[in-house]
Amino acid sequence: NAGVTQTPKFRVLKTGQSMTLLCAQDMNHEYMYWYRQDPGMGLRLIHYSVGEGTTAKGEVPDGYNVSRLKKQNFLLGLESAAPSQTSVYFCASSYNVMSRDGDTQYFGPGTRLTVL
Amino acid sequence: AQTVTQSQPEMSVQEAETVTLSCTYDTSESDYYLFWYKQPPSRQMILVIRQEAYKQQNATENRFSVNFQKAAKSFSLKISDSQLGDAAMYFCAYKVLGGATNKLIFGTGTLLAVQP
């Protein structure tokens, strides 16, 4: 049981390049999330998904796109990277939120992205 | 708007001693969850403890306990018998029950150092 995994762990991009971050979970969770973490700030929600084939915007969605083609995978894309997107990116997943026991989010190890 | 405030950017504790990390939040909701997450140098976000707002009893997990004061909107974390492995960034987080996004709102974190 790997939990939540993220690929890659580190990446350096040049301004204008594109890339995709992959998040995978093996816990059969319905909900998945992408957060970014910047110095001096807590995690902020970029996009989220409430189930396979669905996505929605979070707090800071600009410059990012996501897809949830399979229940276990949640992809975060940067079409044209900018230095402001230098950050640590975390993926998380959780069960159906309507269950009182199902709201806890489990996080991946993070991806450190640097945009030059 | 819901906000989470951690007023202690850094804290230090001697090994085997007790330390309390502070967290306050602002919400107009009556039913919600509160969490403490630990982020060691590995960057992994690890759930330490959670508290349901409808429960008056304070949550405990081994050496970790909380002091939940709903009227004061305060949610502090007490770490007893501190160990070197407790050194990490600690984030307080809030989530409204039944919210469509299951969105977590994070504080800015408290960096805890444990002195041998």
Side-chain angles (χ1 to χ4, degrees):
Chain A
N1 188 337
V4 181
T5 57
Q6 292 182 230
T7 308
K9 289 185 170 53
F10 302 93
R11 185 72 185 268
V12 178
L13 291 178
K14 295 181 179 179
T15 297
Q17 288 185 317
S18 63
M19 78 161 295
T20 300
L21 306 183
L22 171 63
C23 176
Q25 52 93 6
D26 61 2
M27 297 175 283
N28 201 34
H29 283 171
E30 291 292 332
Y31 282 54
M32 296 187 75
Y33 317 81
W34 276 107
Y35 292 89
R36 60 178 289 173
Q37 182 181 26
D38 300 297
M41 307 182 73
L43 278 68
R44 293 181 293 167
L45 183 65
I46 304 171
H47 285 280
Y48 65 97
S49 169
V50 302
E52 182 178 329
T54 73
T55 63
K57 294 180 179 180
E59 185 183 357
V60 288
D62 294 342
Y64 305 95
N65 58 75
V66 288
S67 64
R68 182 97 181 269
L69 298 180
K70 294 182 179 180
K71 185 177 184 179
Q72 64 268 32
N73 295 338
F74 194 30
L75 279 63
L76 178 70
L78 286 74
E79 291 186 349
S80 180
S84 61
Q85 294 178 304
T86 293
S87 188
V88 179
Y89 292 85
F90 287 94
C91 176
S93 69
S94 68
Y95 289 112
N96 187 324
V97 298
M98 296 311 295
S99 164
R100 278 195 177 272
D101 296 328
D103 65 297
T104 298
Q105 293 186 21
Y106 297 87
F107 285 81
T111 296
R112 182 176 292 279
L113 175 66
T114 301
V115 182
L116 303 176
Chain B
Q2 295 105 353
T3 58
V4 176
T5 302
Q6 294 178 250
S7 58
Q8 306 154 314
E10 297 182 14
M11 293 281 285
S12 182
V13 63
Q14 291 291 130
E15 197 174 4
E17 296 294 310
T18 296
V19 65
T20 298
L21 307 184
S22 300
C23 173
T24 58
Y25 57 95
D26 186 23
T27 184
S28 58
E29 302 288 340
S30 60
D31 207 359
Y32 48 86
Y33 294 100
L34 295 163
F35 305 83
W36 278 98
Y37 279 90
K38 170 185 177 181
Q39 186 179 41
S42 67
R43 289 205 316 260
Q44 181 78 50
M45 292 287 286
I46 303 165
L47 178 66
V48 176
I49 200 165
R50 57 175 268 178
Q51 173 81 41
E52 290 92 338
Y54 71 91
K55 290 185 177 179
Q56 294 187 345
Q57 185 174 8
N58 289 325
T60 63
E61 287 288 342
N62 301 313
R63 297 182 295 107
F64 298 87
S65 62
V66 298
N67 183 3
F68 173 49
Q69 301 290 328
K70 190 172 184 178
K73 297 180 182 176
S74 171
F75 183 60
S76 61
L77 175 69
K78 185 172 82 171
I79 306 174
S80 304
D81 185 26
S82 296
Q83 301 175 359
L84 295 177
D86 294 334
M89 180 73 85
Y90 287 82
F91 290 97
C92 178
Y94 160 98
K95 189 195 87 68
V96 65
L97 175 65
T101 68
N102 200 30
K103 173 185 174 182
L104 281 173
I105 299 172
F106 286 86
T108 53
T110 296
L111 182 61
L112 178 66
V114 180
Q115 308 298 331

